[in-house]
Amino acid sequence: MDSKEFTAALGQLRQVRDDIKAVRKELQRLEADRDKRIVALGAYGKAKADRIAPAAGLAVVDVVTLVPHLGPRQQAAPPSVPAQPEPTGDDVQAAAAAPAPGPAGALAPDLRRPEPRPAAADNDTDEQLHDAAGEHVPEGEAVADGAAPALEEPSGQHGQEQQPAPAPVAVPAVEQGRELPSIPAGESGDAWCVPTPNLASKRPNFTQQPRQMAFLDTTTGVLVHRDQTARLDLGTASVSEILTAVYATVPNSVERIYITAGDPWHRDADRYPFLRDSVAAWLNAPVPGWSVESSRGKDRLAGHLVHPRNPVGRWQRGDQHTEIRSVGEWFDPEGADPATVRDAFVLLWKQLRHHWPDVTLMGSPSQTGRDLWSRTIPAKAGSRWAEGYPVMSEEIRGLLHATAGQGRTELILPPRVPEKLPRLVEYDRTFAYAKHTWASGVGAPRRITAAAFAAMSEKEQTNALFAPSHWQIRVTVPDGWNHVGILPAPAAGDRAWYYPAEPGQTFTTWAGGAEVNLALRNPITPWRIEILDGLLWESGTPLRDWSTHLKEAWASLQALAANHGDQRQRTAAHLASRAVRSILLYGIGGFAQRPRITTRSVPVGHEHEIPAGAQIIGSDGEMITWQRSAGFSRDPYAHPEWAAGVWSGARAALLSTKMREDNVSVGALHLPPESIVGFRTDAIYTTHDAPWPYHGRPGDYLKKGHLPGPFTGPRTEEELLSLQTLGRAHLVEEQEAGR
């Protein structure tokens, strides 16, 4: 193509652009005309949304959005009267069916009855039969596309016709610790569902540059760089002493120093009330010849990360840049020497290279996970999402940040559990989050208000509750419920949650589709759920290839750790498999995109330099450390809707999931109610020794600890962790004695 042809082609391209604009303008005109006609038809006294919708080529809910009075009418509350007569049986039944106080909600359907639900993307895979509530469906029960699975009957109801459990007559409200945000009514709230303009996750067109690493044990002074090992004199292991000793031994091209043992940032922990203060003082101590790193390149972060256990320090000296990081970001080295840790990173890189030929290990598992995921985004022109996955509006990201918790942490106390425990057994789900990455919500969310949900057919409601979604709901714990809570309620404190379980309790919350689904069709009795508002996404597989590759790398390293003839390589392979787990775990957390936190320090006496709105988080008498939230950045890889979906699925599976191969239901709801002592993210602590199958696959429950009793049950998290340590050690002794 010469210059003349290029100029002519540009003119043709401009003509296509103008044609597209004209077609879009005409489409907008036709849509406006259609909407005007719908509104006019809605004025007819006998008009019905389900007759107008097919004529307009729209869903019923879209018609109701335009003509709200065509939706179901809410029954007005009866006026109060001074005195009430003795209630009759009919009165009690009517009271049981009445909604709880508060804004009008739409009652969710009984999901225990078989109803059509969306067909999956690939009917030949085990993952395809993994439903939104985290339960596997036996192959024989997936009779046809769109057929719902046969569900386990509530206990005590076998052979009888299933009836929805009535809501209790008395509906005491839960005292909520904090109020969760809501989507504004009307057009202002609908605007939240529009993705951020000109911001999407796209496949990168560059290759990450590798950074040389060194591995240092600050307790012994052993430093490993490539195949070289040296022993350094680190003095008191200050930042200045470490950098001086390391760069007297290795070339300046080394840009990452991983601390494998010693935690030098805790060396003066006794002087400070909190570990964070000790870390901040260590990072901010003067380093002659070096300054805190400033940004250089779009893949670089600047400044220090003040974390109580895994901090990151960044410095520069002219054109030389370096980081000091904790290897604990990737895995617990479990006493491994620096050479073994180096071998673990080498094995990790080799395994990932099978799936990503251009893999580069970045500073943290979160950064590495995001970079690897970005290289699975469709790139073929014309393929779905080749132009990138849209990023939600800042309002939706903020809503998900405030209303989508992560792991379930709960300690259950007497009288719900015995004062003395006969034993304590720990069951931990292996590589749990990897089990819940099969389907995620993609594209712009669709808002489903209470009126819109009520206007849906029962089939449409069921499909919505099986799809990727996030719901604002009013929940009533069913009468006679005697097990652990299912749905989270906001507690006092930032991002704190608890799980109401008292019969008749009512509370308002937000929850992911997986948990709402489980509450409606759990193996005991359905909960009463009223839909107040919600976000519904198209079901897609943006995480599938990424998680599949990581699971395969993890399985290969697990096999190597079990079968290698050299003990050091077995240990290295085990650590590398833990690093793969961290890549997926923290990669998912990275999608959540917390608000940016800026952390800085100023000398005492310069308090006027601390910006307004900042929070002072530490002071050592010489330096004052402050932090301030900077809100959400325009991060093209921010997808809190994906993280929220994975977390919701994992919390649901902690309560009930079915192992398809074994036809066995596992989870807390399949244990005696009084046996549940607590939860920690993916682990259940119970007094019941359950014979659950374990195949070593993601999502399987591993018996990780066993402590025989009797002993007094834990009353604090610290006591639970102490018993956890004892139980794990005792189980190892039992297993070794049984060999």
Side-chain angles (χ1 to χ4, degrees):
M1 177 180 291
D2 57 23
S3 175
K4 185 176 180 180
E5 291 172 329
F6 178 76
T7 302
L10 282 178
Q12 294 169 354
L13 183 60
R14 293 189 190 100
Q15 182 59 50
V16 172
R17 176 200 64 192
D18 294 340
D19 291 345
I20 291 173
K21 287 182 178 178
V23 171
R24 283 179 176 164
K25 186 175 182 180
E26 176 62 14
L27 176 62
Q28 291 172 352
R29 186 191 69 77
L30 290 172
E31 288 178 338
D33 182 54
R34 177 201 63 194
D35 294 348
K36 186 183 298 183
R37 292 173 184 272
I38 291 173
V39 172
L41 287 169
Y44 176 55
K46 297 182 179 181
K48 292 185 178 180
D50 58 356
R51 291 196 62 192
I52 297 175
L58 295 175
V60 171
V61 65
D62 296 323
V63 173
V64 172
T65 300
L66 291 168
V67 192
H69 73 266
L70 294 182
R73 294 173 174 80
Q74 299 295 330
Q75 184 175 357
S80 58
V81 293
Q84 295 290 340
E86 188 71 21
T88 65
D90 290 340
D91 295 331
V92 171
Q93 185 175 1
L107 193 63
D110 181 1
L111 295 187
R112 295 174 303 163
R113 297 196 303 269
E115 287 285 349
R117 64 187 180 97
D122 182 357
N123 291 327
D124 295 330
T125 63
D126 169 44
E127 302 289 353
Q128 177 46 48
L129 297 173
H130 193 267
D131 65 35
E135 291 196 4
H136 283 296
V137 184
E139 287 179 344
E141 294 177 12
V143 179
D145 286 348
L151 303 174
E152 185 174 348
E153 299 177 18
S155 58
Q157 298 293 326
H158 296 284
Q160 300 179 24
E161 183 179 353
Q162 302 291 316
Q163 296 293 335
V169 177
V171 191
V174 171
E175 182 180 350
Q176 303 204 188
R178 69 184 191 280
E179 185 177 351
L180 297 178
S182 300
I183 303 176
E187 293 182 359
S188 60
D190 295 339
W192 285 24
C193 295
V194 178
T196 303
N198 304 315
L199 190 64
S201 305
K202 298 182 179 180
R203 193 182 185 107
N205 57 5
F206 64 93
T207 301
Q208 295 286 359
Q209 296 301 308
R211 316 294 179 189
Q212 288 193 42
M213 311 175 192
F215 302 90
L216 176 65
D217 182 333
T218 59
T219 302
T220 63
V222 173
L223 174 74
V224 172
H225 171 238
R226 295 188 173 176
D227 58 351
Q228 303 296 316
T229 301
R231 189 176 295 272
L232 310 182
D233 180 2
L234 300 176
T236 62
S238 66
V239 172
S240 179
E241 290 168 315
I242 288 175
L243 294 181
T244 299
V246 168
Y247 286 109
T249 308
V250 304
N252 290 350
S253 56
V254 171
E255 297 188 49
R256 288 195 190 113
I257 303 168
Y258 280 110
I259 306 300
T260 65
D263 296 346
W265 38 80
H266 293 160
R267 62 181 186 151
D268 293 328
D270 292 343
R271 294 176 48 195
Y272 300 93
F274 303 104
L275 283 179
R276 189 183 182 94
D277 295 339
S278 171
V279 172
W282 186 83
L283 289 171
N284 290 303
V287 186
W290 296 82
S291 60
V292 177
E293 183 181 53
S294 58
S295 179
R296 62 177 182 103
K298 61 184 178 181
D299 64 334
R300 285 296 184 138
L301 296 174
H304 304 320
L305 171 64
V306 182
H307 187 280
R309 300 196 180 276
N310 296 315
V312 180
R314 303 181 179 96
W315 296 268
Q316 65 183 78
R317 182 173 59 182
D319 292 334
Q320 182 184 356
H321 295 253
T322 191
E323 292 181 333
I324 295 180
R325 312 185 72 115
S326 169
V327 80
E329 291 181 90
W330 293 85
F331 47 73
D332 179 357
E334 301 173 0
D337 58 50
T340 303
V341 173
R342 173 207 56 198
D343 291 347
F345 275 83
V346 172
L347 287 174
L348 172 65
W349 178 80
K350 287 181 177 179
Q351 282 296 331
L352 294 177
R353 193 166 180 264
H354 291 316
H355 306 286
W356 289 277
D358 58 350
V359 61
T360 295
L361 296 182
M362 303 184 72
S364 70
S366 176
Q367 292 172 308
T368 303
R370 187 171 74 171
D371 183 65
L372 294 179
W373 172 77
S374 70
R375 298 174 193 281
T376 66
I377 298 174
K380 185 178 179 181
S383 61
R384 190 78 191 276
W385 309 116
E387 296 301 315
Y389 292 102
V391 173
M392 299 299 100
S393 67
E394 186 169 339
E395 292 83 2
I396 291 296
R397 282 181 277 159
L399 177 75
L400 290 168
H401 173 71
T403 62
Q406 194 170 349
R408 177 170 181 166
T409 300
E410 182 180 20
L411 183 62
I412 300 174
L413 303 175
R416 292 175 60 190
V417 295
E419 292 279 350
K420 293 285 187 179
L421 304 183
R423 68 183 65 82
L424 186 65
V425 185
E426 177 188 5
Y427 291 100
D428 186 72
R429 295 187 72 217
T430 298
F431 206 8
Y433 286 0
K435 195 67 176 176
H436 304 283
T437 53
W438 186 255
S440 303
V442 290
R446 177 183 172 193
R447 184 181 184 185
I448 307 294
T449 63
F453 189 84
M456 291 177 171
S457 67
E458 191 166 345
K459 177 181 177 181
E460 289 176 320
Q461 291 178 342
T462 300
N463 288 345
L465 293 170
F466 273 98
S469 51
H470 193 62
W471 302 97
Q472 186 181 33
I473 52 178
R474 183 162 52 243
V475 184
T476 301
V477 183
D479 193 23
W481 184 262
N482 69 339
H483 220 296
V484 297
I486 292 181
L487 293 165
D494 183 41
R495 296 183 60 78
W497 305 88
Y498 71 111
Y499 294 81
E502 292 298 320
Q505 282 186 308
T506 292
F507 58 99
T508 299
T509 190
W510 283 85
E515 291 165 286
V516 174
N517 194 302
L518 177 65
L520 290 167
R521 65 191 201 101
N522 70 81
I524 301 173
T525 191
W527 286 34
R528 180 187 175 92
I529 306 290
E530 295 172 75
I531 303 295
L532 304 178
D533 212 337
L535 299 169
L536 180 66
W537 283 270
E538 175 187 343
S539 184
T541 57
L543 304 179
R544 183 179 62 183
D545 290 346
W546 176 69
S547 65
T548 297
H549 294 337
L550 291 176
K551 284 185 283 188
E552 290 173 355
W554 173 81
S556 296
L557 290 166
Q558 287 279 91
L560 190 63
N563 300 313
H564 202 288
D566 181 77
Q567 177 59 46
R568 168 170 282 183
Q569 289 302 301
R570 287 201 299 271
T571 300
H574 168 68
L575 297 179
S577 73
R578 300 295 292 172
V580 174
R581 175 185 176 275
S582 295
I583 288 173
L584 186 136
L585 176 69
Y586 295 117
I588 289 170
F591 287 126
Q593 195 217 22
R594 305 289 191 261
R596 293 172 297 165
I597 302 296
T598 300
T599 303
R600 293 287 186 272
S601 295
V602 298
V604 172
H606 290 253
E607 290 82 355
H608 61 280
E609 298 179 9
I610 300 176
Q615 176 188 8
I616 295 176
I617 60 174
S619 175
D620 62 359
E622 297 179 0
M623 303 292 293
I624 299 173
T625 303
W626 57 267
Q627 71 177 19
R628 181 177 61 170
S629 174
F632 293 96
S633 65
R634 281 182 58 85
D635 182 355
Y637 298 111
H639 289 286
E641 69 276 15
W642 298 348
V646 171
W647 295 338
S648 178
R651 289 193 300 269
L654 194 64
L655 299 177
S656 180
T657 188
K658 195 165 188 177
M659 300 181 70
R660 183 174 64 88
E661 302 86 348
D662 304 280
N663 196 28
V664 173
S665 294
V666 297
L669 293 180
H670 302 280
L671 296 171
E674 70 283 355
S675 75
I676 309 296
V677 176
F679 300 94
R680 279 185 60 81
T681 308
D682 300 317
I684 301 172
Y685 298 86
T686 175
T687 61
H688 187 74
D689 200 350
W692 291 342
Y694 182 74
H695 306 292
R697 291 193 288 265
D700 286 0
Y701 276 96
L702 171 65
K703 184 177 180 180
K704 208 167 183 177
H706 175 219
L707 185 64
F711 51 82
T712 301
R715 300 295 183 267
T716 64
E717 184 177 6
E718 290 74 17
E719 291 179 4
L720 177 63
L721 293 175
S722 296
L723 294 174
Q724 175 200 78
T725 301
L726 294 173
R728 291 180 178 180
H730 186 270
L731 181 61
V732 170
E733 293 176 0
E734 284 184 332
Q735 293 170 340
E736 290 177 347
R739 289 175 183 170

